[in-house]
Amino acid sequence: DTAVSQTPKYLVTQMGNDKSIKCEQNLGHDTMYWYKQDSKKFLKIMFSYNNKELIINETVPNRFSPKSPDKAHLNLHINSLELGDSAVYFCASSTPSGQGNSPLHFGNGTRLTVT
Amino acid sequence: ILNVEQSPQSLHVQEGDSTNFTCSFPSSNFYALHWYRWETAKSPEALFVMTLNGDEKKKGRISATLNTKEGYSYLYIKGSQPEDSATYLCASFRSYNTDKLIFGTGTRLQVFP
């Protein structure tokens, strides 16, 4: 059973469209994250949620809106997609929250291509 | 050091060779240091989470050491195998309450048979 699952795996869309990426974890973790792998291959944190509450919002354009309906899900909605949004987006989870000594468990990533 | 830096950027070794690479991180407000192994077309997988200065952890042929005072960690692979080929990421957690890991760009290891 996949612990952290993201859908879709690939997403190709045109500029200006709105799209969502879904993430679910079945590990019972409290905290979920969205990371973006940029063109230089850095993994950069975008958002962190703890028990459905936003903890970190890292200067991400407000076209990106995370939604956490429950602590097992953290979806990422992106409005008015731009070419520069093309990247691989990774969802991750960890527990317990607020402690850096818990490893992250990553999903397999969603490769977003904006044309 | 303000960011997490890893060296070398890439490394090619022969099967059976032992190798090591470095992660440098800000030593101020240190809380934890993570190592991840990232195979192509897969997701990063945690290897070690280290918090104590002088800590050494081992998993099979892979081990890591931590120096929090000078801000570096070494990852060692003994007797490299082709299946060790991957990108090895380290990440520093500096502040207790922000759940924020800062990743380095990784060291890409290729082991040739």
Side-chain angles (χ1 to χ4, degrees):
Chain A
D1 285 344
T2 305
V4 181
S5 59
Q6 301 178 222
T7 54
K9 190 170 180 179
Y10 300 98
L11 183 54
V12 181
T13 188
Q14 290 184 327
M15 283 175 58
N17 284 348
D18 303 339
K19 290 292 179 186
S20 292
I21 307 172
K22 295 185 177 181
C23 179
E24 175 181 4
Q25 54 94 4
N26 61 5
L27 298 166
H29 287 169
D30 300 316
T31 308
M32 295 185 72
Y33 311 81
W34 278 106
Y35 279 83
K36 179 181 179 181
Q37 185 187 17
D38 66 18
S39 57
K40 295 184 179 179
K41 306 297 184 187
F42 271 112
L43 274 176
K44 288 188 176 177
I45 190 164
M46 300 173 69
F47 301 104
S48 168
Y49 268 71
N50 174 32
N51 279 323
K52 304 191 295 177
E53 183 182 338
L54 180 66
I55 301 297
I56 296 174
N57 180 343
E58 281 290 304
T59 58
V60 177
N62 57 16
R63 297 182 296 102
F64 289 78
S65 53
K67 295 255 185 327
S68 183
D70 54 61
K71 74 173 192 176
H73 295 83
L74 180 62
N75 304 322
L76 184 64
H77 189 76
I78 315 169
N79 289 327
S80 303
L81 279 154
E82 300 177 357
L83 292 175
D85 297 332
S86 296
V88 183
Y89 294 85
F90 286 92
C91 177
S93 69
S94 72
T95 195
S97 62
Q99 296 187 26
N101 56 3
S102 299
L104 298 186
H105 295 255
F106 284 90
N108 284 331
T110 295
R111 182 175 291 278
L112 171 65
T113 303
V114 183
T115 61
Chain B
I1 292 177
L2 299 178
N3 297 314
V4 178
E5 297 171 1
Q6 292 186 246
S7 62
Q9 207 168 20
S10 64
L11 195 53
H12 299 164
V13 301
Q14 287 293 127
E15 182 176 357
D17 287 351
S18 294
T19 187
N20 65 85
F21 20 94
T22 307
C23 172
S24 301
F25 54 87
S27 56
S28 60
N29 300 314
F30 172 83
Y31 189 81
L33 192 283
H34 295 214
W35 279 101
Y36 292 83
R37 182 170 178 273
W38 193 357
E39 287 183 74
T40 303
K42 295 188 178 180
S43 55
E45 291 183 356
L47 286 171
F48 306 113
V49 178
M50 308 170 79
T51 56
L52 299 175
N53 185 43
D55 206 3
E56 182 169 344
K57 294 208 171 182
K58 191 173 179 181
K59 185 183 283 189
R61 294 178 291 99
I62 303 177
S63 61
T65 59
L66 180 66
N67 182 321
T68 62
K69 295 187 188 309
E70 295 180 42
Y72 64 84
S73 174
Y74 293 133
L75 188 80
Y76 299 91
I77 303 178
K78 186 177 177 182
S80 304
Q81 299 297 308
E83 58 265 30
D84 295 329
S85 298
T87 296
Y88 291 83
L89 293 173
C90 72
S92 166
F93 191 100
R94 289 184 71 190
S95 174
Y96 181 83
N97 287 321
T98 62
D99 283 329
K100 188 173 170 180
L101 272 177
I102 306 297
F103 280 86
T105 49
T107 292
R108 183 174 172 79
L109 173 68
Q110 283 188 279
V111 182
F112 294 103

